[in-house]
């Protein structure tokens, strides 16, 4: 780490292709958190999901591939849910949760814990001094208890905890809150504590919420149209509404008007918001430089940060730390704010592979900023061996020639992985045929990426080339690849290429992608209509777009 007065080391060279995106399962090493050093390699190999939490990061809960839930650590306020208040260095199973597929988990500072299952059930336990468990009492919860009341007929899909308050997001886009309410963080219009889950109304009524986040004593909601609302404590501009007055009901962050936010996270007293164009905005407390603005001035309204960096694809913060992190489209990971006792005032380029590692190694306390999933690479798996042998002349028994360049592959792999090749080799191929196949209808980058996908399940292409790969996937009836291409295009959409991508989605009958691109074009209509791509499409498509946009109210005054 460098201090703010020192010159940072030069960043690694940029990716070889501008706007390159690489999609693969992130390999996260859970043993970077000291608590997990207590587990054997066999136990670590069984872990599918985990969370490290607590004021000193001394508690952990993890879920195995067999859907067993284990907890170990200090057990402050019975937050482990083991039925007692005793600490344990030996993981104990939470029998009540055995066999339930866990999809979400969050924690407070008491701590208290909220856990969501795949069927929408919500369990709570731990500290309950302010009713944050939502069971109508202030009695400490020693074991997981299923929440009922207002949530009984609802399916919860996401949870968030502040210091001593709780929030839940249901599958139908409603937000419920309960617990400590000294600053209005429940959004009920008063400062009375809320012992049961209560629906957050006011400006959220009739709108669909898709994301929630909590600061220590503040709450944030992200709507399906990209709008952001905040309520609760606002001492240093935590809510981003231009003043520092606490808010008892949701208020819109109007400075973000005209931007479509796709991710929002909250730190101790600051917020980070990421737009659908990969722009990063920050606001709130800045005591340790956690806003990344180069100074320690608090910001009452969102400010654009990381302006000189490439597109951001993920931001990270959590209510129990004053650390911030971000990942760019080429995989570069930055950190700033309070990092192991030092104040980093501008985003610092690390050598980490993911934002989770920032919190394991530099956050205070070193908690997990999200409920984390992981894969292990203790030995070379079949998938890793296949990845290694792709385009290897030593072991290949077939070559494709594309644009004068060769790609070395294995017939067996192609037949196993792709129905197109299975049928082709069965009906047309004999052992005495040549071992070189000429390809003329697709470009080299597209075809190589397709073959590599058959070996790796990953795609490494910029959005513009992903259109060609989408064409290939459609022709070869590779639906999995088709969906992956759509993800890449969504993450790489910009004002300049939006209409081109919309045209491609329509041409290849990618309905989900078409709707996404259409919404993006409508959200940025003024700028999109000024691009060359908008005026180069045929008249029929242009007429159809204008008609659809008018039905959405795009041309209302």
């Amino acid at each position: 780490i460098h201090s703010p007065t020192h010159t940072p080391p030069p960043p690694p060279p940029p990716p070889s292709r501008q706007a390159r995106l690489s999609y693969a399962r992130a390999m996260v090493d859970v043993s970077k958190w000291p608590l997990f050093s207590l587990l054997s390699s066999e136990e670590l190999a069984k872990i599918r999901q985990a969370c490290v939490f607590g004021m000193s990061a001394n508690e952990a809960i993890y879920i195995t591939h067999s859907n067993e839930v284990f907890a170990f650590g200090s057990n402050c306020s019975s937050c482990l849910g083991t039925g007692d208040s005793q600490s344990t260095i030996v993981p104990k199973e939470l029998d009540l949760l055995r066999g339930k597929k866990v999809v979400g988990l969050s924690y407070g500072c008491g701590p208290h814990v909220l856990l969501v299952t795949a069927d929408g059930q919500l369990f709570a336990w731990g500290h309950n001094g302010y009713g944050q468990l939502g069971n109508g009492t202030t009695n400490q919860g020693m074991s997981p208890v299923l929440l009922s009341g207002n949530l009984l007929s609802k399916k919860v899909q996401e949870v968030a905890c502040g210091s001593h308050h709780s929030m839940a997001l249901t599958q139908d886009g409603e937000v419920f809150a309960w617990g400590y309410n000294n600053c209005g963080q429940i959004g009920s219009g008063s400062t009375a504590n809320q012992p049961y889950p209560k629906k957050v109304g006011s400006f959220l009524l009739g709108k669909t919420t898709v994301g929630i986040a909590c600061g220590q004593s503040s709450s944030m909601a992200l709507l399906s149209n990209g709008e952001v609302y905040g309520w609760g404590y606002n001492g240093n501009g935590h809510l981003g509404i231009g003043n520092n007055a606490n808010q008892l009901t949701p208020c819109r962050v109007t400075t973000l008007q005209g931007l479509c936010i796709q991710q929002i996270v909250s730190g101790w007293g600051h917020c980070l918001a990421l737009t659908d164009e990969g722009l990063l905005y920050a606001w709130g407390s800045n005591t340790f430089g956690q806003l990344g603005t180069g100074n320690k001035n608090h910001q009452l309204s969102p400010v654009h940060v990381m302006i000189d960096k490439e597109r951001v694809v993920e931001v990270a913060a959590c209510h129990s730390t004053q650390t911030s992190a971000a990942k760019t489209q080429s995989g570069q990971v930055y950190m700033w704010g309070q990092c192991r006792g030092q104040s980093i005032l501008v985003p610092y380029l690390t050598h980490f592979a993911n934002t989770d590692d920032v919190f394991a190694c530099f956050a205070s306390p070193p908690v997990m900023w999200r409920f984390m999933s992981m894969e292990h690479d203790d030995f070379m798996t079949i998938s890793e061996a296949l990845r290694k042998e792709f385009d290897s002349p030593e072991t290949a028994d077939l070559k494709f020639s594309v644009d004068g360049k060769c790609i070395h592959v294995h017939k067996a792999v192609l037949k196993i992985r792709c129905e197109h090749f299975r049928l082709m080799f069965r009906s047309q191929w004999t052992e005495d045929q040549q071992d070189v196949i000429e390809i003329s209808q697709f470009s080299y980058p597209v075809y190589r990426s397709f073959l590599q996908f058959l070996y790796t399940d990953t795609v490494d292409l910029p959005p513009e080339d992903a259109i060609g790969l989408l064409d290939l996937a459609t022709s070869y009836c590779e639906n999995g690849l088709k969906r992956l291409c759509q993800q890449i295009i969504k993450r790489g959409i910009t004002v300049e290429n939006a209409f081109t991508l919309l045209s491609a989605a329509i041409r290849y009958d990618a309905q989900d992608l078409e709707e996404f691109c259409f919404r993006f074009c409508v959200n940025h209509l003024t700028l999109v209509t000024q691009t060359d791509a908008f005026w180069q499409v045929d008249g029929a498509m242009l007429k159809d777009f204008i008609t659809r946009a008018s039905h959405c109210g795009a041309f209302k005054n």
Side-chain angles (χ1 to χ4, degrees), residues 153-207:
S153 60
K154 302 290 184 178
K155 289 190 174 183
V156 176
Q157 69 176 21
E158 184 180 343
V159 286
C161 295
S163 177
H164 299 292
H165 75 288
S166 305
M167 282 209 298
L169 173 63
T170 66
Q171 289 184 0
D172 51 10
E174 295 177 329
V175 178
F176 289 78
W178 61 97
Y180 199 28
N181 195 30
N182 63 323
C183 301
Q185 57 265 45
I186 302 305
S188 60
S190 75
T191 55
N193 293 347
Q194 177 61 39
Y196 296 103
K198 180 180 178 64
K199 184 176 177 179
V200 180
S202 185
F203 290 107
L204 297 189
L205 284 176
K207 299 179 180 178

Side-chain angles (χ1 to χ4, degrees), residues 139-296:
N139 299 328
Q140 198 159 279
M142 293 191 174
S143 301
V145 174
L146 177 64
L147 264 67
S148 53
N150 293 334
L151 291 175
L152 186 60
S153 60
K154 302 290 184 178
K155 289 190 174 183
V156 176
Q157 69 176 21
E158 184 180 343
V159 286
C161 295
S163 177
H164 299 292
H165 75 288
S166 305
M167 282 209 298
L169 173 63
T170 66
Q171 289 184 0
D172 51 10
E174 295 177 329
V175 178
F176 289 78
W178 61 97
Y180 199 28
N181 195 30
N182 63 323
C183 301
Q185 57 265 45
I186 302 305
S188 60
S190 75
T191 55
N193 293 347
Q194 177 61 39
Y196 296 103
K198 180 180 178 64
K199 184 176 177 179
V200 180
S202 185
F203 290 107
L204 297 189
L205 284 176
K207 299 179 180 178
T208 301
T209 300
V210 295
I212 53 176
C214 291
Q216 279 286 293
S217 301
S218 59
S219 304
M220 306 297 295
L222 172 62
L223 304 192
S224 59
N225 61 1
E227 295 177 354
V228 175
Y229 285 78
W231 60 98
Y233 183 65
N234 195 31
N236 292 313
H238 298 49
L239 305 183
I241 57 176
N243 60 55
N244 57 7
N246 294 351
Q247 301 296 320
L248 306 186
T249 57
C251 292
R252 185 179 174 187
V253 184
T254 55
T255 303
L256 298 176
Q257 185 171 348
L259 300 170
C260 190
I261 305 302
Q262 69 174 14
Q263 186 196 359
I264 185 166
V265 292
S266 288
W268 181 283
H270 74 289
C271 282
L272 304 176
L274 181 63
T275 76
D276 60 351
E277 295 185 279
L279 306 178
L280 174 57
Y281 288 81
W283 64 91
S285 177
N286 200 25
T287 306
F288 298 94
Q290 58 265 47
L291 300 186
T293 55
N295 56 54
K296 293 186 177 181

Side-chain angles (χ1 to χ4, degrees), residues 335-348:
M335 69 179 186
W336 61 98
Q338 188 179 37
C339 299
R340 292 189 74 86
Q342 298 195 47
S343 295
I344 307 300
L345 305 186
V346 294
Y348 177 83

Side-chain angles (χ1 to χ4, degrees), residues 439-466:
I439 299 294
S440 58
Q441 63 268 46
F442 300 106
S443 69
Y444 174 80
V446 165
Y447 211 79
R448 189 181 195 280
S449 185
F450 165 59
L451 294 174
Q452 189 170 24
F453 167 77
L454 298 181
Y455 281 73
T456 66
D457 283 330
T458 64
V459 172
D460 185 10
L461 279 178
E464 291 74 18
D465 280 348

Side-chain angles (χ1 to χ4, degrees), residues 501-549:
L501 300 179
L502 175 61
S503 302
I506 294 172
R507 185 163 63 252
Y508 301 128
D509 192 31
Q511 296 180 5
D512 180 63
L513 177 61
E514 176 186 345
E515 180 63 22
F516 178 87
C517 293
F518 172 76
R519 289 291 175 186
F520 184 94
C521 289
V522 170
N523 289 337
H524 305 275
L525 188 59
T526 301
L527 294 176
V528 168
T529 56
Q530 297 173 20
T531 63
D532 292 338
F534 182 82
W535 297 106
Q536 289 173 357
V537 301
D538 63 82
M541 181 187 163
L542 189 59
K543 181 179 179 181
D544 180 66
F545 173 80
I546 293 173
T547 301
R548 288 178 64 189

